[in-house]
Amino acid sequence: MENLQSRLFPDVETRRPLTIAGPCSAETEEQLIETARELAAAGFRIFRAGLWKPRTKPGGFEGVGAEGLAWLRRVKRETGMYTATEVANREHVTAALDGGVDLLWIGARTSANPFAVQEIADALQRYGSDTPVLIKNPVSPDLELWIGAIERLYNAGLRRLGAIHRGFTSVEKSVYRNLPLWSVPIELHRRLPQLPLFCDPSHIGGRRDAVAPLAQQAMNLGFDGLIVEAHCDPDAAWSDKAQQLTPRALAEICRRLVIRETVATTESLDSLRSEIDKLDDRLLDLLARRMHVAREIGRYKREHAMPVLQTARYEELLARRAAQAEELGMEGGFMRRVLQAVHEESVRQQMEVIDE
Ligand code: PEP
Ligand code: MN
């Protein structure tokens, strides 16, 4: 199987996952060097550290800025690791490239802003740089905006690109800091299959103990790499301390990841897949029949001057089917979403009949 991540750093060992590790922020030269030494000793090859920190609210630690570039050069000199940092505008791009940073990433608040992404793309193009750039998903689950950001960099001539899934802001309370909504990066992969895909379990989880299960899920879904926050003294970190791991704990998590690479299918998998195909055929047939009945109902309603929507019946139906689904081992919310989609098409079909 092709290792997509090998395009970013051809000389870094290409077994999945390619892992970028390091602190949320560069704080002091000592913190950076200590963390990097421990990570390098544990076998990590690419070091991350935020120099310019986009904070949701003012007043927090906003990063050490360009001063940290010399520290990153020292990390590289003393450990041999590649270095990576976040850029959010043209000054960051020029400073980071002049400062010898090997990989740049665009944060979730920046990738949500087409003007900022275009400014970064233009700065990279002017620089004539072929530095690898990873684009985090925008804070909202807007796949087109994410793809748009990737296209802006591609159009600027950059070819060593990758995407980072870091979860999505949500108003709902969740066990995660940012909702994983795996279907969004999966759809990104379907649309851009050649683009290496990284997962950032630190910013999805927001908690140290969430990193291992999220990283495993990403591996199960075929992600190429990980970007994870690690700090020599996580509890003393100046930003994102709840989610940072010691280099040793991170190494242990990576050691335990189960990587399934088999692509050849066996006969029993083929037969299970063909069973799924047959069931899908039946589902489609049943849906078509259901729509046919919906149209009959539409005709009846037209003849008796009844409105199409009768919301009381619909709510009761949804609740009943959600409960039934749960008894059958499915999520109630899943069944509600399915029925809502079916219902939308049903209403559309009835409206067509009424307009005939
Ligand atoms: C980060 O990587 O430290 C960061 C600020 O992440 P995000 O853009 O995903 O919030
Ligand atoms: Mn962080």
Side-chain angles (χ1 to χ4, degrees):
M1 193 158 75
E2 194 197 0
N3 281 300
L4 292 179
Q5 72 271 30
S6 66
R7 297 219 197 113
L8 298 173
F9 288 106
D11 59 330
V12 170
E13 199 211 334
T14 54
R15 216 177 76 82
R16 277 204 306 147
L18 178 65
T19 302
I20 302 167
C24 178
S25 310
E27 299 163 4
T28 63
E29 185 165 359
E30 294 65 40
Q31 166 252 8
L32 216 62
I33 299 294
E34 179 57 27
T35 307
R37 280 204 185 115
E38 291 176 26
L39 285 167
F44 294 99
R45 300 283 314 275
I46 308 172
F47 184 76
R48 64 150 281 159
L51 301 179
W52 299 279
K53 300 303 299 177
R55 305 312 297 272
T56 301
K57 289 186 180 153
F61 171 58
E62 302 210 316
V64 295
E67 188 190 344
L69 288 163
W71 311 345
L72 284 178
R73 282 196 297 277
R74 188 172 156 208
V75 163
K76 188 167 175 156
R77 214 168 43 240
E78 293 187 11
T79 68
M81 290 171 99
Y82 286 113
T83 57
T85 201
E86 172 173 348
V87 290
N89 61 35
R90 68 169 78 87
E91 286 78 26
H92 298 165
V93 170
T94 328
L97 294 178
D98 283 345
V101 176
D102 303 293
L103 176 147
L104 308 176
W105 81 83
I106 298 182
R109 291 157 198 79
T110 309
S111 65
N113 176 354
F115 290 125
V117 176
Q118 191 59 50
E119 175 178 318
I120 293 169
D122 292 344
L124 285 158
Q125 187 166 32
R126 265 198 308 277
Y127 207 95
S129 150
D130 186 31
T131 306
V133 183
L134 306 182
I135 300 103
K136 286 198 172 195
N137 63 264
V139 283
S140 60
D142 184 337
L143 179 62
E144 299 309 322
L145 195 57
W146 195 2
I147 292 180
I150 296 161
E151 279 177 7
R152 286 176 197 279
L153 290 152
Y154 188 86
N155 292 345
L158 289 132
R159 292 296 177 268
R160 293 162 78 194
L161 297 175
I164 302 174
H165 171 44
R166 53 74 81 195
F168 303 95
T169 303
S170 152
V171 283
E172 288 163 44
K173 255 204 129 11
S174 150
V175 291
Y176 297 120
R177 177 175 174 191
N178 290 299
L179 292 181
L181 303 180
W182 295 104
S183 59
V184 180
I186 289 170
E187 179 59 12
L188 175 74
H189 181 63
R190 197 186 65 76
R191 300 263 298 270
L192 301 173
Q194 299 305 314
L195 188 74
L197 193 51
F198 288 72
C199 176
D200 176 343
S202 308
H203 289 92
I204 297 177
R207 300 188 327 262
R208 240 157 260 168
D209 63 323
V211 170
L214 285 164
Q216 184 62 58
Q217 280 188 62
M219 290 304 104
N220 297 348
L221 290 168
F223 277 63
D224 303 287
L226 296 171
I227 175 163
V228 194
E229 288 186 344
H231 190 292
C232 55
D233 184 3
D235 289 328
W238 298 0
S239 60
D240 287 354
K241 67 175 167 195
Q243 70 198 32
Q244 302 209 56
L245 294 153
T246 60
R248 184 200 283 256
L250 176 59
E252 185 56 20
I253 287 172
C254 291
R255 204 182 56 75
R256 288 177 190 227
L257 285 176
V258 180
I259 309 295
R260 300 179 182 86
E261 296 287 17
T262 323
V263 281
T265 67
T266 61
E267 228 172 273
S268 57
L269 183 59
D270 285 343
S271 87
L272 289 170
R273 283 187 174 154
S274 104
E275 201 172 317
I276 290 274
D277 284 346
K278 281 188 208 130
L279 288 167
D280 284 349
D281 279 340
R282 281 171 61 193
L283 271 176
L284 254 78
D285 184 53
L286 285 170
L287 281 170
R289 280 201 248 167
R290 194 187 189 284
M291 294 307 157
H292 186 77
V293 176
R295 292 179 82 93
E296 287 292 307
I297 294 178
R299 282 187 198 101
Y300 181 93
K301 285 180 180 165
R302 181 184 61 201
E303 270 140 39
H304 295 82
M306 288 166 76
V308 167
L309 273 181
Q310 284 160 345
T311 43
R313 174 177 141 73
Y314 180 53
E315 241 325 299
E316 180 224 295
L317 181 149
L318 274 185
R320 188 157 49 83
R321 294 300 188 190
Q324 191 183 357
E326 276 171 16
E327 275 168 29
L328 292 168
M330 291 176 280
E331 267 198 12
F334 160 71
M335 193 41 63
R336 279 179 171 270
R337 289 195 300 280
V338 169
L339 286 175
Q340 255 151 357
V342 170
H343 185 251
E344 249 173 57
E345 175 63 8
S346 221
V347 169
R348 198 191 61 76
Q349 299 250 2
Q350 290 191 26
M351 303 284 276
E352 248 180 37
V353 170
I354 285 177
D355 282 347
E356 268 169 10

PDB file of all heavy atoms in Angstrom, residues 313-339:
ATOM      1  N   ARG A 313     -48.460  13.853  14.183  1.00  0.00           N
ATOM      2  CA  ARG A 313     -48.275  12.442  13.852  1.00  0.00           C
ATOM      3  C   ARG A 313     -46.785  12.150  13.609  1.00  0.00           C
ATOM      4  O   ARG A 313     -46.257  11.131  14.027  1.00  0.00           O
ATOM      5  CB  ARG A 313     -49.088  12.098  12.603  1.00  0.00           C
ATOM      6  CG  ARG A 313     -48.820  10.681  12.116  1.00  0.00           C
ATOM      7  CD  ARG A 313     -49.651  10.276  10.925  1.00  0.00           C
ATOM      8  NE  ARG A 313     -48.838   9.468   9.990  1.00  0.00           N
ATOM      9  CZ  ARG A 313     -48.467   8.213  10.201  1.00  0.00           C
ATOM     10  NH1 ARG A 313     -48.848   7.584  11.300  1.00  0.00           N
ATOM     11  NH2 ARG A 313     -47.735   7.567   9.343  1.00  0.00           N
ATOM     12  N   TYR A 314     -46.114  13.101  12.984  1.00  0.00           N
ATOM     13  CA  TYR A 314     -44.714  12.900  12.631  1.00  0.00           C
ATOM     14  C   TYR A 314     -43.820  12.795  13.864  1.00  0.00           C
ATOM     15  O   TYR A 314     -42.972  11.910  13.971  1.00  0.00           O
ATOM     16  CB  TYR A 314     -44.271  14.064  11.734  1.00  0.00           C
ATOM     17  CG  TYR A 314     -42.832  13.976  11.298  1.00  0.00           C
ATOM     18  CD1 TYR A 314     -42.358  12.825  10.680  1.00  0.00           C
ATOM     19  CD2 TYR A 314     -41.964  15.030  11.500  1.00  0.00           C
ATOM     20  CE1 TYR A 314     -41.036  12.731  10.286  1.00  0.00           C
ATOM     21  CE2 TYR A 314     -40.635  14.948  11.108  1.00  0.00           C
ATOM     22  CZ  TYR A 314     -40.180  13.795  10.505  1.00  0.00           C
ATOM     23  OH  TYR A 314     -38.873  13.709  10.122  1.00  0.00           O
ATOM     24  N   GLU A 315     -44.042  13.679  14.848  1.00  0.00           N
ATOM     25  CA  GLU A 315     -43.246  13.655  16.079  1.00  0.00           C
ATOM     26  C   GLU A 315     -43.420  12.320  16.811  1.00  0.00           C
ATOM     27  O   GLU A 315     -42.471  11.704  17.278  1.00  0.00           O
ATOM     28  CB  GLU A 315     -43.666  14.812  17.003  1.00  0.00           C
ATOM     29  CG  GLU A 315     -42.561  15.792  17.304  1.00  0.00           C
ATOM     30  CD  GLU A 315     -41.160  15.179  17.412  1.00  0.00           C
ATOM     31  OE1 GLU A 315     -40.948  14.317  18.292  1.00  0.00           O
ATOM     32  OE2 GLU A 315     -40.286  15.549  16.599  1.00  0.00           O
ATOM     33  N   GLU A 316     -44.673  11.884  16.863  1.00  0.00           N
ATOM     34  CA  GLU A 316     -44.969  10.634  17.573  1.00  0.00           C
ATOM     35  C   GLU A 316     -44.288   9.449  16.869  1.00  0.00           C
ATOM     36  O   GLU A 316     -43.690   8.585  17.495  1.00  0.00           O
ATOM     37  CB  GLU A 316     -46.498  10.466  17.620  1.00  0.00           C
ATOM     38  CG  GLU A 316     -46.974   9.207  18.318  1.00  0.00           C
ATOM     39  CD  GLU A 316     -48.079   8.532  17.531  1.00  0.00           C
ATOM     40  OE1 GLU A 316     -49.165   9.131  17.392  1.00  0.00           O
ATOM     41  OE2 GLU A 316     -47.834   7.394  17.037  1.00  0.00           O
ATOM     42  N   LEU A 317     -44.338   9.497  15.541  1.00  0.00           N
ATOM     43  CA  LEU A 317     -43.698   8.433  14.745  1.00  0.00           C
ATOM     44  C   LEU A 317     -42.177   8.385  14.982  1.00  0.00           C
ATOM     45  O   LEU A 317     -41.607   7.324  15.201  1.00  0.00           O
ATOM     46  CB  LEU A 317     -44.026   8.712  13.286  1.00  0.00           C
ATOM     47  CG  LEU A 317     -43.522   7.773  12.187  1.00  0.00           C
ATOM     48  CD1 LEU A 317     -44.547   7.781  11.053  1.00  0.00           C
ATOM     49  CD2 LEU A 317     -42.177   8.181  11.640  1.00  0.00           C
ATOM     50  N   LEU A 318     -41.567   9.560  14.991  1.00  0.00           N
ATOM     51  CA  LEU A 318     -40.108   9.624  15.207  1.00  0.00           C
ATOM     52  C   LEU A 318     -39.729   9.035  16.558  1.00  0.00           C
ATOM     53  O   LEU A 318     -38.797   8.229  16.665  1.00  0.00           O
ATOM     54  CB  LEU A 318     -39.631  11.082  15.174  1.00  0.00           C
ATOM     55  CG  LEU A 318     -39.306  11.710  13.841  1.00  0.00           C
ATOM     56  CD1 LEU A 318     -38.731  13.114  14.055  1.00  0.00           C
ATOM     57  CD2 LEU A 318     -38.293  10.874  13.071  1.00  0.00           C
ATOM     58  N   ALA A 319     -40.473   9.426  17.603  1.00  0.00           N
ATOM     59  CA  ALA A 319     -40.148   8.964  18.959  1.00  0.00           C
ATOM     60  C   ALA A 319     -40.321   7.449  19.043  1.00  0.00           C
ATOM     61  O   ALA A 319     -39.482   6.733  19.610  1.00  0.00           O
ATOM     62  CB  ALA A 319     -41.049   9.667  19.965  1.00  0.00           C
ATOM     63  N   ARG A 320     -41.387   6.958  18.457  1.00  0.00           N
ATOM     64  CA  ARG A 320     -41.668   5.513  18.517  1.00  0.00           C
ATOM     65  C   ARG A 320     -40.570   4.726  17.792  1.00  0.00           C
ATOM     66  O   ARG A 320     -40.037   3.738  18.303  1.00  0.00           O
ATOM     67  CB  ARG A 320     -43.040   5.245  17.886  1.00  0.00           C
ATOM     68  CG  ARG A 320     -43.550   3.826  18.038  1.00  0.00           C
ATOM     69  CD  ARG A 320     -45.069   3.760  17.911  1.00  0.00           C
ATOM     70  NE  ARG A 320     -45.589   4.467  16.739  1.00  0.00           N
ATOM     71  CZ  ARG A 320     -45.637   3.962  15.517  1.00  0.00           C
ATOM     72  NH1 ARG A 320     -45.175   2.750  15.266  1.00  0.00           N
ATOM     73  NH2 ARG A 320     -46.134   4.672  14.513  1.00  0.00           N
ATOM     74  N   ARG A 321     -40.199   5.197  16.604  1.00  0.00           N
ATOM     75  CA  ARG A 321     -39.177   4.468  15.828  1.00  0.00           C
ATOM     76  C   ARG A 321     -37.784   4.571  16.465  1.00  0.00           C
ATOM     77  O   ARG A 321     -36.999   3.635  16.388  1.00  0.00           O
ATOM     78  CB  ARG A 321     -39.126   4.996  14.395  1.00  0.00           C
ATOM     79  CG  ARG A 321     -40.386   4.723  13.601  1.00  0.00           C
ATOM     80  CD  ARG A 321     -40.678   3.248  13.487  1.00  0.00           C
ATOM     81  NE  ARG A 321     -41.789   3.014  12.575  1.00  0.00           N
ATOM     82  CZ  ARG A 321     -42.387   1.859  12.417  1.00  0.00           C
ATOM     83  NH1 ARG A 321     -42.010   0.804  13.143  1.00  0.00           N
ATOM     84  NH2 ARG A 321     -43.370   1.718  11.570  1.00  0.00           N
ATOM     85  N   ALA A 322     -37.508   5.716  17.104  1.00  0.00           N
ATOM     86  CA  ALA A 322     -36.204   5.860  17.771  1.00  0.00           C
ATOM     87  C   ALA A 322     -36.105   4.852  18.912  1.00  0.00           C
ATOM     88  O   ALA A 322     -35.070   4.190  19.088  1.00  0.00           O
ATOM     89  CB  ALA A 322     -36.030   7.283  18.283  1.00  0.00           C
ATOM     90  N   ALA A 323     -37.200   4.696  19.661  1.00  0.00           N
ATOM     91  CA  ALA A 323     -37.197   3.742  20.776  1.00  0.00           C
ATOM     92  C   ALA A 323     -37.054   2.323  20.238  1.00  0.00           C
ATOM     93  O   ALA A 323     -36.297   1.496  20.773  1.00  0.00           O
ATOM     94  CB  ALA A 323     -38.485   3.890  21.584  1.00  0.00           C
ATOM     95  N   GLN A 324     -37.755   2.043  19.155  1.00  0.00           N
ATOM     96  CA  GLN A 324     -37.692   0.702  18.548  1.00  0.00           C
ATOM     97  C   GLN A 324     -36.267   0.404  18.066  1.00  0.00           C
ATOM     98  O   GLN A 324     -35.742  -0.690  18.262  1.00  0.00           O
ATOM     99  CB  GLN A 324     -38.668   0.666  17.375  1.00  0.00           C
ATOM    100  CG  GLN A 324     -38.916  -0.704  16.808  1.00  0.00           C
ATOM    101  CD  GLN A 324     -39.855  -0.613  15.587  1.00  0.00           C
ATOM    102  OE1 GLN A 324     -40.335   0.479  15.239  1.00  0.00           O
ATOM    103  NE2 GLN A 324     -40.104  -1.748  14.966  1.00  0.00           N
ATOM    104  N   ALA A 325     -35.625   1.427  17.465  1.00  0.00           N
ATOM    105  CA  ALA A 325     -34.254   1.242  16.980  1.00  0.00           C
ATOM    106  C   ALA A 325     -33.333   0.901  18.145  1.00  0.00           C
ATOM    107  O   ALA A 325     -32.462   0.036  18.030  1.00  0.00           O
ATOM    108  CB  ALA A 325     -33.778   2.508  16.277  1.00  0.00           C
ATOM    109  N   GLU A 326     -33.527   1.592  19.258  1.00  0.00           N
ATOM    110  CA  GLU A 326     -32.665   1.326  20.412  1.00  0.00           C
ATOM    111  C   GLU A 326     -32.815  -0.113  20.889  1.00  0.00           C
ATOM    112  O   GLU A 326     -31.835  -0.770  21.227  1.00  0.00           O
ATOM    113  CB  GLU A 326     -32.945   2.331  21.530  1.00  0.00           C
ATOM    114  CG  GLU A 326     -32.151   3.607  21.282  1.00  0.00           C
ATOM    115  CD  GLU A 326     -32.491   4.755  22.197  1.00  0.00           C
ATOM    116  OE1 GLU A 326     -33.134   4.525  23.245  1.00  0.00           O
ATOM    117  OE2 GLU A 326     -32.103   5.897  21.845  1.00  0.00           O
ATOM    118  N   GLU A 327     -34.055  -0.611  20.869  1.00  0.00           N
ATOM    119  CA  GLU A 327     -34.258  -2.020  21.248  1.00  0.00           C
ATOM    120  C   GLU A 327     -33.512  -2.953  20.302  1.00  0.00           C
ATOM    121  O   GLU A 327     -33.105  -4.043  20.672  1.00  0.00           O
ATOM    122  CB  GLU A 327     -35.747  -2.363  21.228  1.00  0.00           C
ATOM    123  CG  GLU A 327     -36.439  -2.000  22.527  1.00  0.00           C
ATOM    124  CD  GLU A 327     -37.952  -2.068  22.408  1.00  0.00           C
ATOM    125  OE1 GLU A 327     -38.460  -2.880  21.596  1.00  0.00           O
ATOM    126  OE2 GLU A 327     -38.613  -1.279  23.112  1.00  0.00           O
ATOM    127  N   LEU A 328     -33.325  -2.506  19.071  1.00  0.00           N
ATOM    128  CA  LEU A 328     -32.648  -3.343  18.072  1.00  0.00           C
ATOM    129  C   LEU A 328     -31.135  -3.094  18.040  1.00  0.00           C
ATOM    130  O   LEU A 328     -30.435  -3.548  17.135  1.00  0.00           O
ATOM    131  CB  LEU A 328     -33.242  -3.084  16.693  1.00  0.00           C
ATOM    132  CG  LEU A 328     -34.695  -3.560  16.510  1.00  0.00           C
ATOM    133  CD1 LEU A 328     -35.293  -3.009  15.222  1.00  0.00           C
ATOM    134  CD2 LEU A 328     -34.775  -5.085  16.505  1.00  0.00           C
ATOM    135  N   GLY A 329     -30.638  -2.335  19.020  1.00  0.00           N
ATOM    136  CA  GLY A 329     -29.194  -2.150  19.133  1.00  0.00           C
ATOM    137  C   GLY A 329     -28.624  -1.013  18.298  1.00  0.00           C
ATOM    138  O   GLY A 329     -27.423  -0.978  18.025  1.00  0.00           O
ATOM    139  N   MET A 330     -29.501  -0.101  17.828  1.00  0.00           N
ATOM    140  CA  MET A 330     -28.990   1.062  17.077  1.00  0.00           C
ATOM    141  C   MET A 330     -29.209   2.317  17.917  1.00  0.00           C
ATOM    142  O   MET A 330     -29.975   2.292  18.866  1.00  0.00           O
ATOM    143  CB  MET A 330     -29.742   1.199  15.746  1.00  0.00           C
ATOM    144  CG  MET A 330     -29.434   0.090  14.765  1.00  0.00           C
ATOM    145  SD  MET A 330     -30.410   0.215  13.263  1.00  0.00           S
ATOM    146  CE  MET A 330     -31.978  -0.467  13.766  1.00  0.00           C
ATOM    147  N   GLU A 331     -28.570   3.412  17.509  1.00  0.00           N
ATOM    148  CA  GLU A 331     -28.757   4.665  18.241  1.00  0.00           C
ATOM    149  C   GLU A 331     -30.074   5.315  17.844  1.00  0.00           C
ATOM    150  O   GLU A 331     -30.385   5.394  16.650  1.00  0.00           O
ATOM    151  CB  GLU A 331     -27.626   5.636  17.908  1.00  0.00           C
ATOM    152  CG  GLU A 331     -26.491   5.549  18.870  1.00  0.00           C
ATOM    153  CD  GLU A 331     -25.593   6.779  18.798  1.00  0.00           C
ATOM    154  OE1 GLU A 331     -25.974   7.782  18.177  1.00  0.00           O
ATOM    155  OE2 GLU A 331     -24.502   6.691  19.378  1.00  0.00           O
ATOM    156  N   GLY A 332     -30.827   5.789  18.843  1.00  0.00           N
ATOM    157  CA  GLY A 332     -32.087   6.468  18.551  1.00  0.00           C
ATOM    158  C   GLY A 332     -31.874   7.665  17.623  1.00  0.00           C
ATOM    159  O   GLY A 332     -32.653   7.902  16.698  1.00  0.00           O
ATOM    160  N   GLY A 333     -30.792   8.400  17.873  1.00  0.00           N
ATOM    161  CA  GLY A 333     -30.511   9.600  17.074  1.00  0.00           C
ATOM    162  C   GLY A 333     -30.259   9.249  15.616  1.00  0.00           C
ATOM    163  O   GLY A 333     -30.663   9.968  14.704  1.00  0.00           O
ATOM    164  N   PHE A 334     -29.588   8.121  15.415  1.00  0.00           N
ATOM    165  CA  PHE A 334     -29.329   7.659  14.047  1.00  0.00           C
ATOM    166  C   PHE A 334     -30.659   7.416  13.335  1.00  0.00           C
ATOM    167  O   PHE A 334     -30.874   7.858  12.198  1.00  0.00           O
ATOM    168  CB  PHE A 334     -28.485   6.376  14.090  1.00  0.00           C
ATOM    169  CG  PHE A 334     -28.547   5.560  12.826  1.00  0.00           C
ATOM    170  CD1 PHE A 334     -27.926   6.007  11.673  1.00  0.00           C
ATOM    171  CD2 PHE A 334     -29.239   4.353  12.794  1.00  0.00           C
ATOM    172  CE1 PHE A 334     -27.994   5.264  10.499  1.00  0.00           C
ATOM    173  CE2 PHE A 334     -29.316   3.608  11.630  1.00  0.00           C
ATOM    174  CZ  PHE A 334     -28.695   4.059  10.477  1.00  0.00           C
ATOM    175  N   MET A 335     -31.588   6.703  14.027  1.00  0.00           N
ATOM    176  CA  MET A 335     -32.861   6.384  13.380  1.00  0.00           C
ATOM    177  C   MET A 335     -33.659   7.655  13.083  1.00  0.00           C
ATOM    178  O   MET A 335     -34.285   7.781  12.030  1.00  0.00           O
ATOM    179  CB  MET A 335     -33.658   5.438  14.287  1.00  0.00           C
ATOM    180  CG  MET A 335     -34.851   4.775  13.629  1.00  0.00           C
ATOM    181  SD  MET A 335     -34.557   4.205  11.924  1.00  0.00           S
ATOM    182  CE  MET A 335     -33.278   2.992  12.169  1.00  0.00           C
ATOM    183  N   ARG A 336     -33.575   8.641  14.004  1.00  0.00           N
ATOM    184  CA  ARG A 336     -34.258   9.912  13.752  1.00  0.00           C
ATOM    185  C   ARG A 336     -33.707  10.575  12.484  1.00  0.00           C
ATOM    186  O   ARG A 336     -34.460  11.081  11.658  1.00  0.00           O
ATOM    187  CB  ARG A 336     -34.052  10.874  14.930  1.00  0.00           C
ATOM    188  CG  ARG A 336     -34.984  10.617  16.081  1.00  0.00           C
ATOM    189  CD  ARG A 336     -34.720  11.583  17.220  1.00  0.00           C
ATOM    190  NE  ARG A 336     -35.764  11.445  18.229  1.00  0.00           N
ATOM    191  CZ  ARG A 336     -36.887  12.151  18.230  1.00  0.00           C
ATOM    192  NH1 ARG A 336     -37.106  13.073  17.312  1.00  0.00           N
ATOM    193  NH2 ARG A 336     -37.805  11.945  19.158  1.00  0.00           N
ATOM    194  N   ARG A 337     -32.370  10.542  12.339  1.00  0.00           N
ATOM    195  CA  ARG A 337     -31.776  11.195  11.155  1.00  0.00           C
ATOM    196  C   ARG A 337     -32.200  10.491   9.864  1.00  0.00           C
ATOM    197  O   ARG A 337     -32.525  11.119   8.866  1.00  0.00           O
ATOM    198  CB  ARG A 337     -30.244  11.220  11.265  1.00  0.00           C
ATOM    199  CG  ARG A 337     -29.727  12.185  12.328  1.00  0.00           C
ATOM    200  CD  ARG A 337     -28.241  12.457  12.157  1.00  0.00           C
ATOM    201  NE  ARG A 337     -27.402  11.260  12.261  1.00  0.00           N
ATOM    202  CZ  ARG A 337     -27.023  10.699  13.409  1.00  0.00           C
ATOM    203  NH1 ARG A 337     -27.410  11.224  14.568  1.00  0.00           N
ATOM    204  NH2 ARG A 337     -26.270   9.625  13.422  1.00  0.00           N
ATOM    205  N   VAL A 338     -32.219   9.136   9.932  1.00  0.00           N
ATOM    206  CA  VAL A 338     -32.627   8.375   8.737  1.00  0.00           C
ATOM    207  C   VAL A 338     -34.070   8.717   8.387  1.00  0.00           C
ATOM    208  O   VAL A 338     -34.394   9.036   7.241  1.00  0.00           O
ATOM    209  CB  VAL A 338     -32.492   6.849   8.998  1.00  0.00           C
ATOM    210  CG1 VAL A 338     -33.151   6.052   7.890  1.00  0.00           C
ATOM    211  CG2 VAL A 338     -31.026   6.461   9.122  1.00  0.00           C
ATOM    212  N   LEU A 339     -34.943   8.663   9.413  1.00  0.00           N
ATOM    213  CA  LEU A 339     -36.362   8.901   9.132  1.00  0.00           C
ATOM    214  C   LEU A 339     -36.613  10.335   8.672  1.00  0.00           C
ATOM    215  O   LEU A 339     -37.467  10.577   7.830  1.00  0.00           O
ATOM    216  CB  LEU A 339     -37.202   8.578  10.371  1.00  0.00           C
ATOM    217  CG  LEU A 339     -37.344   7.076  10.639  1.00  0.00           C
ATOM    218  CD1 LEU A 339     -38.075   6.831  11.935  1.00  0.00           C
ATOM    219  CD2 LEU A 339     -38.082   6.387   9.489  1.00  0.00           C
TER     220      LEU A 339
END
